[in-house]
Amino acid sequence: MRLSELGEKEIVDVVRGARYGELGDAELLFDGRSGKIRAVLVQEEGSGRGFFGYGEEFRQLPWASIRKIGEDIIIFDGSEE
């Protein structure tokens, strides 16, 4: 799978039923030593738009809590936060 294909997938919290937009609109947080992805930083649901169009409230979704990367969506388990 290419990174460009991954970026088009919708992020969904299976516990809350919340949608966090596409991975391509999120930020990835990396471990500085290992280079592995630690978390996905998404705009918090319902937060307004701030300066330069970015919301002011963010939520970190731990990469280890991603349960399935499917054809159209990425399923995240919010109970493990």
Side-chain angles (χ1 to χ4, degrees):
M1 176 180 303
R2 294 181 179 184
L3 184 58
S4 61
E5 295 170 334
L6 192 61
E8 297 173 356
K9 296 180 187 300
E10 182 92 26
I11 302 170
V12 176
D13 183 340
V14 69
V15 174
R16 294 178 52 206
R19 297 168 64 181
Y20 292 104
E22 294 181 353
L23 185 62
D25 296 331
E27 298 288 334
L28 298 178
L29 299 176
F30 292 90
D31 182 296
R33 292 183 181 171
S34 69
K36 293 182 179 181
I37 301 171
R38 285 188 16 221
V40 177
L41 187 63
V42 295
Q43 186 174 340
E44 185 65 59
E45 185 179 30
S47 71
R49 294 235 178 243
F51 198 55
F52 292 119
Y54 293 101
E56 298 192 14
E57 296 179 30
F58 294 94
R59 182 170 183 188
Q60 284 190 32
L61 309 178
W63 188 258
S65 295
I66 292 176
R67 294 293 157 240
K68 181 77 174 174
I69 299 177
E71 188 174 320
D72 298 319
I73 65 172
I74 297 172
I75 299 174
F76 162 76
D77 186 350
S79 67
E80 296 188 7
E81 289 186 273

